[in-house]
Amino acid sequence: MAKLYFYYASMNAGKSTTLLQADFNYRERGMTTMLWTAQLDDRGGDKAIESRIGLHAEANRFAAGTDLWERVMASHRTQPLACVLVDEAQFLTKEQVWQLARLADEGGIPVVCYGLRTDFQGELFPGSAALLGIADALVELKGVCHCGRKATMNLRVDASGAAVKQGAQTEIGGNDRYVALCRKHFSEALSA
């Protein structure tokens, strides 16, 4: 029976690297996969999914209105898929998460999602909240804070490195805009 998986972590914990390794493993065995990532994150350009260690792959892009059930099943009917892999899953809508669950339940296709659990204020992203609620398996990947503890939080910083305490939930950026921290150092940075 196919399942819906959610691998979550802070930034810089290797989510995209893990996704690309899983994709490689399927393809190495002659199996077909389908990769997805958020349309709003265009930092990878043509590479679409790109890890900090230099691995990359092309992927389909989803927006809030993308019907993942229809798009994946159309591809699956042409060439059977062994797995669907979704990067930046925090940007999925609740409806899209249910579409992915349907792919596993009715389509018989394993779906593996990778994303952030919380935003720069410690609040759940809508896609992450839905995945935490209905995924068959939850797997936490470990990031590391500068103190050596497990990083679970994502601190947004400005150009000078100061903590940003307010703003839109979604602002695309990498190491220039976010720092992965343990909860203690995240709280200290926000209260400074």
Side-chain angles (χ1 to χ4, degrees), residues 17-146:
T17 302
T18 304
L19 179 152
L20 293 168
Q21 179 65 54
D23 179 57
F24 175 82
N25 292 345
Y26 277 103
R27 291 180 182 276
E28 183 179 44
R29 288 161 185 81
M31 298 176 185
T32 302
T33 60
M34 188 174 202
L35 277 57
W36 286 89
T37 193
Q39 185 174 9
L40 61 93
D41 185 357
D42 60 359
R43 290 174 294 161
D46 292 339
K47 295 175 183 168
I49 297 175
E50 187 169 17
S51 71
R52 290 178 300 118
I53 64 171
L55 302 174
H56 54 83
E58 293 181 16
N60 296 282
R61 303 283 187 147
F62 67 84
T66 304
D67 187 328
L68 294 172
W69 165 262
E70 287 297 328
R71 295 274 306 275
V72 172
M73 288 307 292
S75 180
H76 185 60
R77 284 188 286 274
T78 303
Q79 182 170 9
L81 297 168
C83 187
V84 172
L85 299 147
V86 182
D87 201 22
E88 304 292 350
Q90 69 271 12
F91 299 130
L92 293 164
T93 65
K94 182 178 180 180
E95 180 182 353
Q96 288 170 325
V97 171
W98 279 99
Q99 291 168 6
L100 295 174
R102 186 177 174 202
L103 287 170
D105 297 343
E106 295 177 32
I109 307 166
V111 178
V112 188
C113 298
Y114 299 82
L116 300 174
R117 182 179 60 165
T118 58
D119 66 14
F120 76 107
Q121 294 178 318
E123 300 293 328
L124 290 171
F125 283 97
S128 301
L131 283 162
L132 288 167
I134 70 167
D136 296 298
L138 301 171
V139 180
E140 182 180 24
L141 299 175
K142 306 295 191 285
V144 180
C145 180
H146 63 81

